[in-house]
């Protein structure tokens, strides 16, 4: 069955470095729905020097979670944008049970549902290798990896020629904190969505395209018109 993009509301979960951003961007291209990354929204607020940016900066650079009330309000604002009426993929939200409850309530109020939660699973050691080697173009935000998807010219973006930078929270110390935070505060959501019967696990080890094929298989198996079994 092929999906109508207006019916596709998805959550993409996984630990830091699992490939959420990588897979979400491929979903944007294939399904024409926007990627809503709370991490990107928070980093944009920090770069702009806004009041929100000042409030969240210390949390993001240390790898701690931004308080639920702030991040929920950022997410709900973004969900109100017209492009989200056609569906969306949430990348990095929710990250706590409180955030998941807030999302569920907001969706119910809007008479909308989440059709599926796709959780990408990757062992911690692989996550550390991926994050320490990640480099991002400061101009077009394309992501590279020093070993797994190296740029043709060191330090330079293949797409636009921009400078490649390391994210501040991709230092070894901050990565261990992010992993601890994930295991304590976010991993419980796997059970949360399993109980709602919308959880789909994906092994995140292997070629990016192979993982994307598994993600697409899951999406093809969703039935957006059948909301009867979905309680969120
Ligand atoms: P956020 O920006 O969401 O970061 P994250 O969850 O830590 O995830 P990453 O973006 O680091 O990794 P990813 O899974 O997207 O992996 P990627 O595709 O880039 O959050 C940052 C911070 O913001 C948080 O710490 C927190 O402070 C705050 N925040 C955000 N949301 C929040 C919320 N809801 N509540 C509270 N606070 C919040 O891939 C990683 C690397 O691996 C890349 O180099 C890529 O090329 C490579 N790669 C990808 N797939 C593969 C593969 N299959 N094989 C080999 N390499 C691969």
């Amino acid at each position: 069955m092929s999906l109508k993009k207006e019916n596709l509301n998805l959550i993409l979960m996984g630990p830091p470095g699992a490939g959420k951003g990588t897979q979400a961007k491929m979903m944007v291209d294939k399904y024409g729905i926007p990627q809503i990354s709370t991490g990107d929204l928070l980093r944009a607020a920090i770069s702009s020097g806004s009041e929100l940016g000042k409030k969240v900066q210390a949390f993001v650079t240390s790898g701690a979670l931004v308080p639920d009330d702030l991040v929920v309000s950022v997410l709900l604002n973004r969900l109100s944008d017209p492009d989200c009426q056609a569906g969306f993929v949430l990348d990095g939200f929710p990250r706590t049970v409180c955030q998941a409850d807030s999302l569920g309530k907001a969706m119910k109020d809007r008479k909308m549902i989440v059709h599926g939660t796709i959780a990408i699973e990757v062992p911690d050691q692989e996550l550390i290798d991926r994050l320490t080697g990640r480099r991002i173009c400061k101009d077009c935000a394309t992501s590279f990896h020093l070993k797994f998807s190296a740029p043709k010219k060191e330090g330079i973006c293949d797409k636009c020629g921009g400078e490649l930078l390391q994210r501040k929270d991709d230092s070894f110390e901050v990565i261990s904190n992010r992993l601890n935070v994930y295991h304590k505060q976010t991993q419980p959501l796997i059970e949360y969505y399993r109980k709602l019967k919308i959880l789909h696990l994906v092994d995140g080890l292997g070629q990016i395209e192979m993982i994307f094929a598994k993600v697409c298989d899951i999406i093809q198996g969703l039935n957006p018109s059948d909301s009867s079994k979905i309680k969120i």
Side-chain angles (χ1 to χ4, degrees):
M1 191 198 97
S2 66
L3 280 164
K4 287 188 191 148
K5 68 175 185 175
E6 62 266 27
N7 287 321
L8 192 55
N9 302 330
L10 297 171
I11 296 172
L12 197 50
M13 270 188 68
K20 302 182 293 297
T22 303
Q23 297 294 325
K25 283 186 179 60
M26 295 166 88
M27 290 158 80
V28 170
D29 290 343
K30 183 166 169 113
Y31 297 105
I33 51 171
Q35 167 197 14
I36 303 180
S37 156
T38 40
D40 287 348
L41 293 170
L42 295 168
R43 280 185 292 278
I46 294 170
S47 307
S48 74
S50 67
E51 278 310 306
L52 171 71
K54 286 177 197 151
K55 282 187 198 161
V56 302
Q57 182 158 26
F59 296 103
V60 173
T61 39
S62 69
L65 292 187
V66 168
D68 288 331
D69 57 336
L70 288 178
V71 78
V72 165
S73 121
V74 166
L75 189 273
L76 294 186
N77 267 338
R78 178 66 184 90
L79 276 188
S80 303
D81 289 342
D83 63 331
C84 295
Q85 304 317 306
F88 50 79
V89 52
L90 300 184
D91 160 7
F93 186 98
R95 269 169 139 107
T96 63
V97 169
C98 170
Q99 291 178 22
D101 287 343
S102 301
L103 175 67
K105 182 175 178 314
M107 295 295 283
K108 204 170 169 191
D109 290 349
R110 293 164 196 220
K111 301 195 178 5
M112 291 163 77
I113 56 166
V114 171
H115 300 101
T117 295
I118 300 174
I120 308 176
E121 297 187 301
V122 176
D124 282 7
Q125 186 52 55
E126 168 80 10
L127 297 170
I128 294 168
D129 292 347
R130 287 187 189 180
L131 292 172
T132 48
R134 175 168 60 183
R135 297 294 181 272
I136 294 170
C137 175
K138 80 173 171 40
D139 296 329
C140 72
T142 299
S143 180
F144 294 87
H145 191 280
L146 296 180
K147 262 195 293 184
F148 308 132
S149 52
K152 291 192 185 93
K153 197 169 166 198
E154 197 185 321
I156 304 292
C157 176
D158 290 354
K159 276 198 183 161
C160 75
E163 186 187 358
L164 298 184
L165 301 176
Q166 185 169 30
R167 241 167 71 175
K168 283 202 176 107
D169 58 349
D170 278 349
S171 69
F172 184 78
E173 296 70 27
V174 180
I175 291 169
S176 355
N177 191 32
R178 287 162 66 197
L179 290 175
N180 285 336
V181 166
Y182 172 79
H183 290 304
K184 272 197 196 137
Q185 301 191 59
T186 307
Q187 209 166 17
L189 292 183
I190 302 254
E191 277 315 304
Y192 182 104
Y193 286 114
R194 198 194 304 276
K195 282 187 188 146
L196 290 175
K197 299 189 171 39
I198 58 169
L199 179 73
H200 303 268
L201 296 176
V202 171
D203 179 356
L205 282 179
Q207 295 290 320
I208 290 171
E209 291 71 21
M210 195 186 81
I211 295 160
F212 188 56
K214 291 191 263 186
V215 168
C216 292
D217 280 350
I218 291 169
I219 293 174
Q220 291 306 320
L222 299 174
N223 183 354
S225 58
D226 178 13
S227 58
S228 59
K229 296 189 194 106
I230 300 172
K231 296 197 185 82
I232 191 170

